[in-house]
């Protein structure tokens, strides 16, 4: 009986020793966390982006968008060449600025489309490009239609490098007059276009997005737009 009690006592002593070691280890771990780690609970979720235009272009093209670099001098010529090379039968112009040059260069265009009768391409302006995601923002201050989707099988977007923002919140605060959210802004991200026999099958429901991005490093010359 004495041997049994001594055996039980030995087991209890070992268990208590193990418990004590665990408590000591947990205590030491908390001390290390509190003393050696400098935790910033208010740190940004993402790392800042150094080159916003380059980061945006990478994300935009990676998502399926088509990018065409432009300058102030060759923007109109690029728009005209694009329309002719793609053999657009009808181009929907959403701005008088583009309409005057389309007419001058003999590019067929309309200023409105009927529901169920989309154009081959639509020309729109974006004043918000999001570098983090490759998305494009369309404000109702510039847009004619509530959404740019469904208007044409190709969405030709004109924007500038200065319109590239790191994140959506940055874009809304600056372009929205300090407001962090707005119900009248549409954001659109390119999607891969389905192909049949290596031929793109872009539709108004699944349009191609072609971005003509104007560089801000070229001198502005309005007369050269002709």
């Amino acid at each position: 009986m004495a041997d049994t009690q001594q055996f039980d006592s030995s087991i209890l002593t070992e268990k208590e020793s193990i418990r004590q070691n665990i408590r000591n280890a947990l205590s030491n771990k908390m001390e290390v966390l509190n003393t050696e780690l400098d935790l910033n609970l208010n740190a940004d979720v993402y790392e800042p982006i150094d080159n916003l235009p380059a980061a945006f272009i990478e994300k935009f093209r990676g998502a399926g968008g088509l990018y065409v670099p432009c300058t102030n001098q060759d923007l109109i010529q690029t728009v005209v060449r694009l329309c002719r090379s793609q053999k657009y039968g009808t181009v929907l112009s959403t701005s008088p600025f583009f309409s005057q040059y389309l007419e001058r260069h003999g590019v067929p265009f309309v200023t409105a489309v009927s529901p169920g009768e989309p154009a081959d391409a639509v020309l729109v302006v974006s004043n918000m490009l999001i570098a983090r995601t490759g998305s494009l923002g369309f404000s109702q201050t510039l847009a004619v239609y509530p959404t740019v989707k469904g208007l044409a099988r190709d969405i030709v977007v004109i924007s500038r490098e200065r319109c590239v923002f790191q994140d959506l919140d940055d874009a809304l605060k600056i372009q929205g007059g300090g407001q962090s959210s707005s119900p009248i802004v549409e954001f659109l991200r390119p999607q891969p276009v389905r192909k049949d026999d290596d031929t793109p099958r872009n539709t108004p429901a699944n349009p191609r997005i072609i971005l003509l991005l104007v560089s801000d490093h070229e001198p502005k010359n309005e007369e050269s737009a002709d």
Side-chain angles (χ1 to χ4, degrees), residues 28-103:
N28 292 336
K29 182 178 181 180
M30 291 305 298
E31 289 179 2
V32 170
L33 289 175
N34 291 330
T35 58
E36 295 185 4
L37 295 182
D38 184 15
L39 298 179
N40 182 5
L41 300 180
N42 297 316
D44 293 335
V45 178
Y46 300 106
E47 292 292 328
I49 299 174
D50 294 328
N51 190 328
L52 292 179
F56 167 79
I57 293 169
E58 180 181 3
K59 289 289 186 179
F60 176 78
R61 297 178 72 175
L66 301 178
Y67 158 70
V68 181
C70 298
T71 66
N72 287 301
Q73 284 70 30
D74 65 11
L75 172 60
I76 297 303
Q77 290 87 344
T78 302
V79 171
V80 172
R81 286 198 301 268
L82 175 65
C83 293
R84 289 174 176 170
S85 66
Q86 297 302 308
K87 296 180 172 61
Y88 294 140
T90 304
V91 176
L92 173 59
S93 174
T94 61
S95 169
F97 173 80
F98 297 118
S99 297
Q100 63 178 321
Y101 291 110
L102 294 176
E103 183 175 10

Side-chain angles (χ1 to χ4, degrees), residues 41-218:
L41 300 180
N42 297 316
D44 293 335
V45 178
Y46 300 106
E47 292 292 328
I49 299 174
D50 294 328
N51 190 328
L52 292 179
F56 167 79
I57 293 169
E58 180 181 3
K59 289 289 186 179
F60 176 78
R61 297 178 72 175
L66 301 178
Y67 158 70
V68 181
C70 298
T71 66
N72 287 301
Q73 284 70 30
D74 65 11
L75 172 60
I76 297 303
Q77 290 87 344
T78 302
V79 171
V80 172
R81 286 198 301 268
L82 175 65
C83 293
R84 289 174 176 170
S85 66
Q86 297 302 308
K87 296 180 172 61
Y88 294 140
T90 304
V91 176
L92 173 59
S93 174
T94 61
S95 169
F97 173 80
F98 297 118
S99 297
Q100 63 178 321
Y101 291 110
L102 294 176
E103 183 175 10
R104 185 176 301 177
H105 290 277
V107 177
F109 74 96
V110 295
T111 56
V113 291
S114 302
E117 297 181 4
D120 292 328
V122 56
L123 291 176
V124 294
V125 175
S126 171
N127 61 344
M128 284 176 276
L129 309 177
I130 311 303
R132 189 78 65 187
T133 62
S135 302
L136 305 94
F138 302 93
S139 170
Q140 288 300 305
T141 58
L142 300 174
V144 177
Y145 295 88
T147 176
V148 298
K149 292 196 68 175
L151 298 176
R153 58 184 176 86
D154 278 0
I155 301 176
V156 181
V157 183
I158 290 85
S159 190
R160 307 188 68 92
E161 288 181 350
R162 71 183 68 157
C163 296
V164 181
F165 298 90
Q166 179 167 273
D167 295 295
L168 185 147
D169 192 53
D170 297 331
L172 291 176
K173 284 181 179 178
I174 295 176
Q175 297 288 34
Q179 300 297 320
S180 60
S181 62
S182 174
I184 55 174
V185 176
E186 177 186 24
F187 284 94
L188 191 63
R189 190 169 185 262
Q191 294 182 350
V193 174
R194 183 172 62 86
K195 294 184 178 181
D196 292 339
D197 299 328
D198 293 330
T199 301
R201 295 288 297 173
N202 42 313
T203 66
N206 184 28
R208 288 192 306 181
I209 300 181
I210 305 172
L211 173 64
L212 278 58
L213 187 61
V214 180
S215 171
D216 287 325
H217 303 293
E218 297 288 337

